[in-house]
């Protein structure tokens, strides 16, 4: 069974550009989460989808971040325009149920904004 | 989310050593979790703790849920080279959200 896959694994962009990150959760997992880890800091919650609906987006930093999950399958996270402080590793995770300790994480996207 | 203080921030291990790391919080959690991230991979769940005072083992790993519900520790016994990586604690409160610590980076001592 395929795990959570994220694309790209690395992205280097200039300040002001747009970047779109993609996450394919494990098939059948209704719950999809985005997290971010800035270098050396904690892994921070960004948002939570249940199928195609945003259950909780309280962790989204600002309106430059837009997440979608059309059709309740894969999800995208777009940053537009990117700022220097957006650099970090963006993790996607999925789970079957809402009690999310049985989270399966992807390998992450390392985003560097120069 | 709530703030978790994880220590140490980093440690060097020698093969065969026992190592220990811990997490504390000013908030009470219902669940404590320990994850490990190998280089180039995402975090993987090692141990889940659901009850205050609970002591759980997974091979050479042992973790405890503190009596106050505000702390947890993870011990690795007889460490081996593949124990290197980043270890994260995480706590879950009533809102089901996970709060993570900043991680403990474990490196093999040359």
């Amino acid at each position: 069974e395929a795990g959570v896959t994220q694309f790209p694994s690395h992205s280097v962009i200039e300040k002001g550009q747009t970047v779109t990150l993609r996450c394919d959760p494990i098939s059948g997992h209704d719950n999809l989460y985005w997290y971010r880890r800035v270098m050396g800091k904690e892994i921070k919650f960004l948002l939570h989808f249940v199928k195609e609906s945003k259950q909780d987006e309280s962790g989204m930093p600002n309106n430059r971040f837009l997440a979608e999950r059309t059709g309740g399958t894969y999800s995208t996270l777009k940053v537009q325009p990117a700022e220097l402080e957006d650099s970090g590793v963006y993790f996607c995770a999925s789970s079957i149920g809402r009690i999310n300790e049985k989270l399966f994480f992807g390998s992450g996207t390392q985003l560097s904004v120069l | 989310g709530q703030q978790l203080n994880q220590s140490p921030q980093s440690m060097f291990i020698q093969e065969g050593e026992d190592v220990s790391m811990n997490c504390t919080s000013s908030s009470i959690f219902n669940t404590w979790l320990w994850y490990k991230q190998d280089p180039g991979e995402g975090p993987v769940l090692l141990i889940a703790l659901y009850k205050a005072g609970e002591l759980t083992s997974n091979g050479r790993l042992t973790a405890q849920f503190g009596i106050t519900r505000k702390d947890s520790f993870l011990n690795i016994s007889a460490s081996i080279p593949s124990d290197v990586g980043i270890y994260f604690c995480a706590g879950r409160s009533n809102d089901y959200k996970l709060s993570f610590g900043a991680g403990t980076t474990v490196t093999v001592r040359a």
Side-chain angles (χ1 to χ4, degrees), chain B residues 52-73:
Chain B
E54 181 181 352
L55 185 74
T56 296
S57 293
N58 177 7
R60 294 178 297 104
L61 307 177
T62 302
Q64 184 156 32
F65 191 142
I67 289 289
T68 65
R69 294 166 63 194
K70 292 183 179 181
D71 64 312
S72 178
F73 71 74

Side-chain angles (χ1 to χ4, degrees), chain B residues 5-21:
Chain B
N5 298 308
Q6 187 171 349
S7 67
Q9 187 176 9
S10 62
M11 63 167 63
F12 290 88
I13 62 169
Q14 197 144 22
E15 192 168 352
E17 278 183 336
D18 295 345
V19 299
S20 184
M21 59 196 80

Side-chain angles (χ1 to χ4, degrees), chain A residues 100-114:
Chain A
N100 57 8
E101 64 264 23
K102 303 293 184 189
L103 276 179
F104 294 85
F105 280 85
S107 300
T109 294
Q110 172 77 59
L111 175 64
S112 299
V113 183
L114 307 178

Side-chain angles (χ1 to χ4, degrees), chain A residues 33 35 37 40-45 56 58-59 89 91 98-108, chain B residues 9 31 33 35 37 40-45 48 50 86 88 92 95-103:
Chain A
Y33 306 82
Y35 290 88
R37 185 179 190 231
K41 303 285 178 95
E42 70 272 25
I43 299 173
K44 274 197 172 177
F45 168 82
D56 181 352
S58 61
V89 180
F91 289 108
R98 182 187 178 202
I99 299 181
N100 57 8
E101 64 264 23
K102 303 293 184 189
L103 276 179
F104 294 85
F105 280 85
S107 300
Chain B
Q9 187 176 9
T31 303
L33 306 162
Y35 287 83
Q37 183 187 2
E41 302 293 330
V44 173
L45 181 66
Y50 300 103
I86 307 175
F88 293 97
R92 178 167 62 86
D95 64 359
Y96 296 102
K97 252 188 248 183
L98 286 181
S99 299
F100 284 85

Side-chain angles (χ1 to χ4, degrees), chain A residues 5-26:
Chain A
T5 56
Q6 290 187 246
F7 182 83
S9 57
H10 294 80
S11 180
V12 181
I13 61 172
E14 292 189 351
K15 177 183 167 180
Q17 289 186 321
T18 297
V19 64
T20 301
L21 314 181
R22 173 171 168 143
C23 169
D24 287 76
I26 294 173

